[in-house]
Amino acid sequence: MTIAERMKQRLSQVGIYAPGAQALGWELNAYAAALEQLYARLNVLFRERFIVTAQAEGLAAYEQLFGPVRSDESAQSRREKLLLRLNLGDGDFTPAGIAKAMESFGLSYSLREFPALGKLNIDADTDYDAAQQAWIRREVEKIIPAHIEFQLTFNSMSWADLDALNRTFGAIDAENQTWNEIDSRVHQ
């Protein structure tokens, strides 16, 4: 039964709308059309409100809480990352919790711990542009406990990659790069 039919049925019991009143029927149809649009929009809002059912609009709203909108990824991947991020708790400042957080913002990485030194190295395994690197750095700084010293590098070149360049130490030294620049070297 449509909204217009339900309105007519319920109002007929009150007796203020005569069954043959054409103008009153048009009025009810206008109300019904507006209510149908409202219900359609409410259904979308209810769907978008929850991460497990959200699609583009709802996922984008949640993603904006944590950083960039990831519209280039599938809805399922976006949901998984958001759920990981929202489920981080006080007890998640362990290696497993840090790994969960890294996965929540899509970082492809390797993690090396040095517990005796209170240090942690995080190496990004994929090339990221400057904006992505800045965002990832900010997010990592938020999740690493304050008592742990950490280094985050975006050098996606392995030793094998560097050896394959077949360059001498003199050629590398002549580039006059800082350690940060060397740590940030990526595939060309």
Side-chain angles (χ1 to χ4, degrees), residues 32-44:
L35 287 172
E36 284 175 8
Q37 289 177 349
L38 178 65
Y39 287 156
R41 182 65 185 142
L42 283 172
N43 285 335
V44 169

Side-chain angles (χ1 to χ4, degrees), residues 43-50 53-59 62:
N43 285 335
V44 169
L45 289 174
F46 286 134
R47 181 192 70 215
E48 296 296 320
R49 172 62 182 98
F50 302 99
T53 56
Q55 296 182 8
E57 186 179 351
L59 292 174
Y62 278 108

